[in-house]
Amino acid sequence: MCPTLSCTLESYAVKTRAVTSDCYGSRMTGTALMSAVIARANRSWCLFLDRDGVVNARIMGGYVRSWSDFEFVPGALDALRTLARWAPRIVVVTNQQGVGKGLMTENDLSHIHDRMLRAVAESGGRIDAVTSCIHLAEDRCDCRKPRTGMARAYLDVNPEIDGSLSVMVGDTDSDVEMGRRLRVVTGGCAVFRISAIDDPLADGTYLSLAAFAAAIAPLLPSE
Ligand SMILES: [Mg+2]
Ligand SMILES: [Zn+2]
């Protein structure tokens, strides 16, 4: 058993009983999660995190165009504080086609991200970098998810990070597909989906980032 793990599988089951209604035990999500935590303990790796629908509320059929449109998902800030204890790097990878469509400027987007980073830091969390694809779907760029360009660009300039230990968390098919493609490129990537519907293509599905972090928390060394 890894020395940094604070509990055994049995005690993990007890500690997480309160959150099992938020995850899908039939697919042994807890066990997959525990393996993911064990494999990454004391290693240098990166958690890639989708933004809309995971960190902040998604605007259906529209875009977050200014800070006043940006609303953290309930529990997301607390979740980021927990995840900061787990992941040596946390990098947001977000498709923001609204820039390519001219609905907002790159400046608007970086202003939103500055405010987001400040709010996360003020609540004791950490996001190390934000990478955005501002291109249109028809541009066929290398970075728009499900393509892996954003994650690869980060890994390219941070060679100390072991890409094969990557973790991808997102709420759409394209996030899960990005994680699966990254797995092929780097040799490994654990993929978790934020959804009310179990995704068999992911290693685990959780109702929210808060539910995901609540499942991780008992596996971390105590603060
Ligand atoms: Mg999303
Ligand atoms: Zn792009």
Side-chain angles (χ1 to χ4, degrees), residues 50-54 58 145 170-172 175:
D50 173 41
R51 198 196 81 180
D52 296 325
V54 175
R58 218 168 137 184
K145 294 178 290 184
D171 71 327
T172 64
D175 294 310

Side-chain angles (χ1 to χ4, degrees), residues 92-190:
V92 167
V93 287
T94 180
N95 284 355
Q96 294 299 331
Q97 195 181 200
V99 176
K101 288 180 176 173
L103 298 172
M104 57 181 159
T105 65
E106 276 189 81
N107 219 34
D108 295 334
L109 187 62
S110 58
H111 177 70
I112 292 166
H113 290 156
D114 287 347
R115 297 291 296 264
M116 175 181 79
L117 292 180
R118 205 189 310 163
V120 169
E122 280 168 0
S123 70
R126 167 171 53 79
I127 288 175
D128 298 283
V130 180
T131 57
S132 312
C133 167
I134 58 169
H135 308 113
L136 297 170
E138 57 262 37
D139 289 343
R140 309 291 302 166
C141 66
D142 191 40
C143 44
R144 185 174 167 80
K145 294 178 290 184
R147 290 183 282 277
T148 57
M150 288 189 279
R152 283 190 286 108
Y154 185 81
L155 294 171
D156 281 350
V157 296
N158 291 278
E160 74 281 12
I161 301 293
D162 184 343
S164 74
L165 296 174
S166 298
V167 174
M168 174 67 193
V169 176
D171 71 327
T172 64
D173 287 346
S174 84
D175 294 310
V176 171
E177 176 61 18
M178 192 215 98
R180 291 167 60 89
R181 290 186 191 186
L182 191 61
R183 183 183 294 166
V184 174
V185 174
T186 63
C189 179

